[in-house]
Amino acid sequence: MSVLTAQNLTFGFLDGVLFKGAAFKVEETDRVGLIGANGTGKTSLFKLITGEYTPNEGGIVRGKDVRIGYMEQYLDCDENQTLYDEALTVFNDVMAMEGELEFITSELLNNDDIALIEKQVRLTEEIERRDGLVYKSKTRSALMGLGFKEEDLNLKVSTLSGGQRSKLSLCKLLLSNANLLLLDEPTNNLDIDAVNWLEDFLLKYKGAFIVVSHDRYFLDKITTSTMEIAHGKLMLTKGNYTVFQKLKAERELAIEREYEKTITEIKRIEGIIEQQKRFNQERNYITIASKEKQIERLKETLVVPEKALKSVNFSFKTDVRTGDEVLSVIDLQKSFPGKPLFKDFNLTIYREDKTFLLGPNGCGKSTFLKIVNKETSQDAGIIRLGSNVKIGYFDQNIDKLHSEKTVLDEVWDMYRFMTETEIRSALAMFLFRGEDVFKKVSLLSGGERAKISLLKIMLAKPNFLILDEPTNHLDIVSREVLENALSDFDGTLLVVSHDRYFINKLATRTVYLTNNGAVNIDGNYDKYI
C-alpha cells in the first residue's frame, strides 16, 4: 500500500525551478535515501510532503492513515522540563490513557458496568499498541543510544546545547507514533556509536522513511531505494547508494553512447544533403526534403547527456618533503576541570600515513589536534614533530574566517604575494566566480565557508594535513572530490571524522581514542570494526 504518491510534481521559487514533472511512489515499508547537491530542493520536497509548501504544478497524495513525523515539528520544547521528561511527552496520549484506565479500574471495584469493562479492554489494547508497557524504558534507551549519559537525563532543557537539542528532537521523532518519517541529516551531531544505534533502530522500524543524508555509509546500510534530485529532475532508483551509483553510471554511459551514435548519423545525413544540393536537380531537392525530415525526427529523440554537477576542484600539493617520522606522541595526558579526557596516549605517524582518529564525542579528539597544532597545551607527555614538517590545519568550527571581509579579501589578505588574477583563478576552482568573490563571508553557507578554509590551506602547500571533520559541511559531490584529492596527496594525513565511507576510502591507520590510551589498527574503518 502506498503511503505517498507524487505526480507531475513541479516546484521552484522566483529565481528558478528546483524540479519539474517529478513522479514517485513510497510504499508502507520503503526506506528511501534522498540525495542531491546543496540547494537542489531536498528540504523543499520534505515541506511539500508535509503540506507546508504548495507545488507549482502536480501534487502529492498521502495515504489515508499516514502519520508523518518531521524533525522540525519538535523543535519547540518546555524549557523547564528535564531532558527525560521532555522526551516522554511523545507519549502524552499514552499517559492520559493510563490515567483514564486507572480511574476505570478503581470504578470497577464497586461497579460491574459492561460498558466500563469494554472501555477498559479497549484502553488496555491501545496502550499496549502504543508501547505502554515499555515506553519509559524505551525512551531512556533511545536517549542513551543517541549519546546522552545517565546524569544528562535530569538536565533542564534550557541548559542543553544546540547539538543536544537536535538529538532530543531526533529522539522524540523516532519514538513518535508516525509511520512515515522524514529525516533531514539525522546523523549530524552524532558520534559513530550513536550512528550505529540509529542504524539499528531504523533497520527495525516498521514504517516507511525518507532520509536526507550526506553519509554514504549510513545510506548504504539502511536504505532500499535512492531518490536523486539533479538538473531539475527527480529520479527514484531501487537499491542503496552504491547500487544507485553503479546504475547511474551505466545509464549515463548508455545515454552518452546513443547521443554520439545519433550525432554521427545526423552528420552523415547532413553530408548527403550537401552533396544533393551540389547536383542542383529537381529530384535532388525531393531527397533533400526527405533527409531534412529524417534529421528532425532524430533530433526529437535525441537525449543530450547531462553535464556533471559543478564540483569543487580540490588539489593538495607539498613544496617540501618531511623526514620519515612526522609525529611522535609519548604518554600524552589532558583534562579540563572536572573532565578528564585521555592519558597514556601514544602514537607515531610516519610520512604518507593516512591516520584517522575515532572515538566518542567528548573524548578529546579535537583537543588532541589542537595540541599538535600548538593551539593548546597538554598536561603531561611529549609531542614531537619531525623534520621539515609544515602543518595545514582545518578546524571543524570554521570560525577563523573574518565575517566582514569579502571572499576575495579573505584569501588575498593571507597571500599578498599572489596577483588578484591568481587568487580569482584559485577561487574559481572552488566555484566562486564573477561577482561571487565580492560576497561577504558572513553571507556564506557552512559548505562555502569550509571550501574557503580548505582553499587557504591548499595555497599554503603543507606536507602534514590535520583535518577536524572536513566533510561536515560538504555535499556528497564535494566529499567525493575531496576524497580523490586526499588520495593523491603526497604528504601525511591526521584526520578526525565520523564519515565512515570517507575513512574506508582513505585510511591506512585507524586509531580509537579512549580515556586510557588508544587502540591502533592498520587499515580502514571496516578493518577496525
Side-chain angles (χ1 to χ4, degrees), residues 318-337:
T318 63
D319 58 3
V320 64
R321 181 184 172 96
T322 67
D324 288 341
E325 191 173 293
V326 174
L327 176 67
S328 182
V329 179
I330 304 169
D331 296 331
L332 201 69
Q333 182 173 323
K334 181 66 178 179
S335 63
F336 293 114

Side-chain angles (χ1 to χ4, degrees), residues 355-401:
T355 302
F356 279 73
L357 185 61
L358 313 184
N361 288 343
C363 72
K365 301 185 298 296
S366 295
T367 300
F368 169 65
L369 297 191
K370 289 181 186 296
I371 292 172
V372 177
N373 198 45
K374 298 181 179 179
E375 292 192 3
T376 190
S377 59
Q378 65 267 40
D379 298 337
I382 297 170
I383 289 276
R384 186 167 58 233
L385 291 172
S387 61
N388 297 323
V389 170
K390 184 179 180 182
I391 291 175
Y393 174 65
F394 178 85
D395 190 330
Q396 66 167 315
N397 295 318
I398 50 176
D399 57 1
K400 294 180 181 178
L401 303 180

Side-chain angles (χ1 to χ4, degrees), residues 67 93 123-132 177:
R67 299 179 300 279
D93 59 330
L123 278 171
T124 302
E125 289 175 348
E126 181 60 19
I127 288 170
E128 287 180 5
R129 190 191 70 78
R130 286 282 285 118
D131 293 326
N177 195 30

Side-chain angles (χ1 to χ4, degrees), residues 131-163:
D131 293 326
L133 303 177
V134 296
Y135 72 88
K136 291 183 179 178
S137 60
K138 193 174 180 180
T139 301
R140 183 181 176 281
S141 174
L143 289 169
M144 304 289 275
L146 289 170
F148 289 107
K149 296 182 175 64
E150 185 72 46
E151 58 268 27
D152 295 334
L153 302 187
N154 292 318
L155 290 174
K156 286 285 181 71
V157 170
S158 59
T159 67
L160 298 181
S161 67

Side-chain angles (χ1 to χ4, degrees), residues 411-418 423 455-457 459-460:
V411 180
W412 202 7
D413 284 352
M414 189 171 178
Y415 297 99
R416 277 292 169 187
F417 59 89
M418 297 177 69
I423 294 292
L455 172 59
K456 290 172 71 174
I457 294 169
L459 292 174

Side-chain angles (χ1 to χ4, degrees), residues 224-463:
T224 55
S225 57
T226 302
M227 192 186 303
E228 183 191 36
I229 304 176
H231 310 294
K233 296 178 182 176
L234 190 151
M235 178 173 286
L236 183 63
T237 304
K238 289 295 181 185
N240 62 16
Y241 177 76
T242 297
V243 172
F244 160 79
Q245 285 289 80
K246 181 174 180 290
L247 294 174
K248 181 182 179 182
E250 290 173 358
R251 281 196 306 268
E252 289 180 346
L253 181 60
I255 290 170
E256 189 175 335
R257 285 175 174 169
E258 186 61 29
Y259 175 78
E260 290 172 355
K261 179 181 170 184
T262 306
I263 290 295
T264 300
E265 178 63 8
I266 288 172
K267 287 180 178 178
R268 187 188 71 81
I269 298 170
E270 285 174 342
I272 294 172
I273 291 173
E274 285 302 314
Q275 186 184 59
Q276 294 293 320
K277 284 180 178 178
R278 285 197 297 272
F279 293 152
N280 200 23
Q281 299 292 325
E282 185 177 345
R283 66 175 180 274
N284 300 127
Y285 286 102
I286 295 171
T287 303
I288 289 169
S290 172
K291 293 298 181 184
E292 285 176 341
K293 286 180 181 178
Q294 192 176 345
I295 288 175
E296 287 174 13
R297 287 194 296 270
L298 286 171
K299 286 183 176 179
E300 284 174 4
T301 62
L302 187 66
V303 178
V304 180
E306 293 175 338
K307 292 180 180 178
L309 283 170
K310 288 180 179 178
S311 59
V312 178
N313 186 11
F314 290 109
S315 176
F316 292 102
K317 301 294 181 185
T318 63
D319 58 3
V320 64
R321 181 184 172 96
T322 67
D324 288 341
E325 191 173 293
V326 174
L327 176 67
S328 182
V329 179
I330 304 169
D331 296 331
L332 201 69
Q333 182 173 323
K334 181 66 178 179
S335 63
F336 293 114
K339 184 177 176 57
L341 293 179
F342 51 78
K343 63 181 180 179
D344 301 326
F345 182 15
N346 292 279
L347 176 66
T348 303
I349 295 178
Y350 297 97
R351 186 178 65 246
E352 297 185 12
D353 275 357
K354 291 179 170 59
T355 302
F356 279 73
L357 185 61
L358 313 184
N361 288 343
C363 72
K365 301 185 298 296
S366 295
T367 300
F368 169 65
L369 297 191
K370 289 181 186 296
I371 292 172
V372 177
N373 198 45
K374 298 181 179 179
E375 292 192 3
T376 190
S377 59
Q378 65 267 40
D379 298 337
I382 297 170
I383 289 276
R384 186 167 58 233
L385 291 172
S387 61
N388 297 323
V389 170
K390 184 179 180 182
I391 291 175
Y393 174 65
F394 178 85
D395 190 330
Q396 66 167 315
N397 295 318
I398 50 176
D399 57 1
K400 294 180 181 178
L401 303 180
H402 303 85
S403 59
E404 73 284 357
K405 288 186 179 181
T406 65
V407 168
L408 177 63
D409 287 339
E410 177 62 36
V411 180
W412 202 7
D413 284 352
M414 189 171 178
Y415 297 99
R416 277 292 169 187
F417 59 89
M418 297 177 69
T419 66
E420 180 177 350
T421 300
E422 288 172 331
I423 294 292
R424 293 188 70 157
S425 296
L427 285 167
M429 289 165 48
F430 285 73
L431 303 184
F432 292 99
R433 299 188 175 101
E435 295 300 310
D436 290 341
V437 303
F438 301 114
K439 282 174 67 174
K440 284 285 185 72
V441 170
S442 59
L443 300 177
L444 300 181
S445 67
E448 289 172 324
R449 286 169 175 259
K451 291 170 190 176
I452 290 292
S453 299
L454 286 165
L455 172 59
K456 290 172 71 174
I457 294 169
M458 184 191 82
L459 292 174
K461 296 183 178 179
N463 52 28

